[in-house]
């Protein structure tokens, strides 16, 4: 298969993966019209090459459909030659799918390539770091999170359902560049293409803040099968404050300083702003899919145990979700 050289690859062509692909492509199109440098993009699919479509559909916030030609490769069959020009791999699969999706790809990537994990929660980055360290020339690792909303209409059509902030930053630099972070060109290109995108010099702190929001909202909405806004009811106050209190203590033990009052206010702000939304964990539970609980409340519990701390509210929510998943 003949492909135009691409600099960015996306692993995980679900709703968020395709949304980012469309946003990058639109930005590249605009820059091409202005005769500026482009960072071309391709999608890596978990299916045979013959089943990958040549066209994708994007429904914007105004309900207008946009059809675009797309470059796609089979994740399992992509060759080292086809991936030789890739500088950034964006991983948008669920947290529990990260290692199985990306580890087989590592030997095929160029030494100057960087990997961006863009999923809910924390934890997979620690396991992936071990795999990266085992490479002859460890690749760079970036971490990020997005609050953009997207819904998959079918395998090849997605709708942009909500705006939101995207944050990303360097976790570890590739060995090939002697510790240098991601190139300024690629950083600027991605940050300009994605609306409300922010580069974070301390991405771990930012991810702990997002973790607090997910840890408070996701399991409660999943267990009570409710929209986010219902969590503003007083019956949830004690559980939400306990989740945030425990998280702040665990983060401090991990060397991450968080402000409890500001964090709690942020949780309730998200509850209000997304009142009519269903959380991703509620949707996963409703559809019988595996949730990301291990990377959310499970991560808080694991880090608490590593520091001989207790996190009973997070432990209770973790156990309740795991029990519900098992039936």
């Amino acid at each position: 298969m003949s492909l135009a050289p691409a600099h960015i690859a996306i692993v995980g062509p679900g709703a968020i993966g395709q949304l980012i692909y469309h946003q990058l492509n639109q930005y590249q199109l605009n820059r091409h019209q202005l005769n500026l440098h482009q960072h071309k993009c391709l999608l890596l699919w978990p299916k045979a090459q013959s089943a990958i479509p040549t066209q994708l559909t994007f429904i914007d916030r105004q309900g207008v459909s946009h059809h675009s030609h797309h470059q796609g490769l089979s994740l399992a069959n992509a060759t080292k030659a086809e991936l030789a020009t890739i500088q950034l791999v964006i991983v948008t699969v669920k947290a529990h799918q990260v290692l199985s999706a990306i580890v087989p790809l590592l030997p095929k990537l160029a030494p100057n390539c960087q990997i961006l994990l863009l999923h809910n929660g924390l934890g997979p980055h620690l396991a992936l770091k071990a795999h990266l360290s085992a490479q002859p020339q460890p690749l760079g690792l970036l971490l990020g999170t997005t609050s953009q909303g997207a819904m998959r209409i079918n395998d090849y059509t997605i709708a942009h359902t909500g705006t939101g902030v995207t944050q990303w930053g360097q976790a570890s630099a590739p060995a090939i560049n002697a510790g240098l972070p991601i190139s300024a060109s690629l950083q600027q290109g991605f940050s300009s293409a994605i609306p409300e995108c922010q580069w974070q010099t301390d991405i771990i702190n930012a991810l702990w803040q997002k973790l607090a929001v997910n840890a408070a909202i996701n399991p409660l909405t999943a267990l009570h099968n409710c929209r986010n806004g219902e969590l503003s009811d007083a019956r949830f106050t004690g559980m939400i404050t306990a989740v945030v209190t425990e998280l702040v203590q665990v983060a401090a033990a991990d060397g991450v300083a968080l402000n409890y009052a500001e964090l709690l206010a942020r949780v309730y702000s998200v509850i209000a702003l997304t009142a009519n939304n269903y959380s991703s964990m509620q949707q996963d539970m409703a559809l019988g899919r595996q949730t990301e609980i291990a990377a959310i409340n499970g991560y808080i519990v694991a880090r608490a145990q590593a520091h001989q701390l207790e996190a009973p509210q997070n432990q209770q929510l973790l156990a309740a979700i795991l029990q519900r998943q098992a039936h």
Side-chain angles (χ1 to χ4, degrees):
M1 179 181 181
S2 178
L3 291 173
H7 299 118
I8 300 173
I10 298 174
V11 176
I16 291 297
Q18 288 191 44
L19 173 63
I20 291 174
Y21 180 85
H22 283 293
Q23 290 173 335
L24 288 169
N25 269 354
Q26 185 57 51
Y27 176 71
Q28 292 152 12
L29 176 62
N30 293 341
R31 286 174 69 84
H32 180 65
Q33 290 171 345
L34 295 171
N35 198 30
L36 295 174
H37 178 68
Q38 300 180 78
H39 286 297
K40 292 184 182 294
C41 185
L42 64 83
L43 270 171
L44 294 171
W45 295 78
K47 57 179 64 182
Q49 191 67 46
S50 59
I52 296 174
T54 57
Q55 180 175 285
L56 298 176
T57 301
F58 168 66
I59 304 172
D60 65 24
R61 296 276 289 143
Q62 287 70 48
V64 178
S65 295
H66 305 266
H67 307 286
S68 62
H69 175 78
H70 112 281
Q71 292 198 124
L73 281 177
S74 168
L75 178 60
N77 299 321
T79 66
K80 191 169 186 177
E82 289 171 324
L83 300 175
T85 59
I86 298 298
Q87 299 174 24
L88 176 65
V89 175
I90 304 170
V91 185
T92 58
V93 298
K94 296 279 191 179
H96 58 269
Q97 299 169 325
V98 167
L99 292 183
S100 61
I102 198 67
V103 170
L105 205 60
L106 295 180
K108 302 177 183 179
L109 298 174
N112 64 337
C113 185
Q114 306 238 17
I115 297 169
L116 168 60
L117 301 186
L118 205 60
H119 58 75
N120 283 331
L122 283 166
H125 68 293
L126 298 178
L128 182 56
K129 270 187 176 181
H131 285 280
L132 294 177
S133 298
Q135 297 294 307
Q137 293 176 313
L139 307 182
L141 180 61
L142 300 146
L143 302 178
T145 180
T146 185
S147 297
Q148 291 196 93
M151 180 174 65
R152 185 160 61 176
I153 308 302
N154 57 50
D155 282 355
Y156 314 124
T157 302
I158 64 109
H160 190 190
T161 57
T163 59
V165 173
T166 297
Q167 298 175 307
W168 66 314
Q170 194 84 50
S172 59
I176 192 70
N177 287 341
L180 292 178
I182 189 170
S183 73
S185 170
L186 202 55
Q187 179 185 329
Q188 182 180 7
F190 183 84
S191 295
S192 299
I194 308 302
E196 299 183 64
C197 189
Q198 304 169 354
W199 177 260
Q200 298 288 321
T201 54
D202 187 354
I203 187 60
I204 295 296
N205 187 288
L207 291 178
W208 271 96
Q209 293 183 47
K210 177 67 182 296
L211 184 65
V213 173
N214 286 332
I217 294 176
N218 284 20
L220 288 173
T221 54
L223 291 169
H224 294 271
N225 194 27
C226 66
R227 297 177 190 268
N228 294 354
E230 292 186 41
L231 298 187
S232 61
D233 189 278
R235 65 193 171 110
F236 294 109
T237 302
M239 288 180 282
I240 291 173
T241 55
V243 166
V244 176
T245 297
E246 292 169 10
L247 179 142
V248 170
Q249 293 171 346
V250 174
D254 246 10
V256 178
L258 300 171
N259 184 294
Y260 167 78
E262 291 178 0
L263 209 51
L264 188 62
R266 178 175 176 177
V267 169
Y268 276 103
S269 174
V270 172
I271 288 172
L273 290 171
T274 63
N276 292 323
N277 296 1
Y278 286 106
S279 74
S280 59
M281 192 174 295
Q282 185 280 333
Q283 294 176 62
D284 285 339
M285 289 283 283
L287 295 171
R289 298 186 302 228
Q290 184 175 344
T291 72
E292 294 181 289
I293 191 69
I296 301 176
N297 304 81
Y299 183 74
I300 299 168
V301 171
R303 297 312 300 155
Q305 293 172 344
H307 297 293
Q308 289 79 51
L309 297 173
E310 294 185 354
Q313 184 63 70
N314 283 279
Q315 178 68 65
Q316 180 183 350
L317 292 173
L318 170 64
I321 292 291
L322 291 177
Q323 182 179 29
R324 190 77 62 87
Q325 278 184 179
H327 294 86

